[in-house]
Amino acid sequence: MLYWAAVFFVIAIIAAVFGFGGIAAGAASIAKILFFIFIVLFLLSLISGAFKRGGPRL
């Protein structure tokens, strides 16, 4: 999912360089949404992994 966020970010940069403001804004908003979804899923994965193993070992 982080790959797709990076792809839409690159599309937004290229569209902005060529002056397509609407396309750039749309691609940037999609990239932002995908990035935040990735962050949430990553944090959930870390938390569930910590509970499965019984917490961190000190």
Side-chain angles (χ1 to χ4, degrees):
M1 187 165 309
L2 189 58
Y3 170 78
W4 286 109
V7 166
F8 279 109
F9 178 71
V10 169
I11 290 171
I13 298 263
I14 292 171
V17 166
F18 288 119
F20 300 113
I23 296 172
S29 65
I30 291 172
K32 189 186 307 184
I33 290 168
L34 288 175
F35 179 74
F36 285 122
I37 290 172
F38 169 77
I39 293 295
V40 168
L41 291 176
F42 175 71
L43 291 175
L44 287 174
S45 174
L46 282 178
I47 291 170
S48 68
F51 283 124
K52 280 185 179 179
R53 287 183 279 147
R57 297 177 191 247
L58 299 175

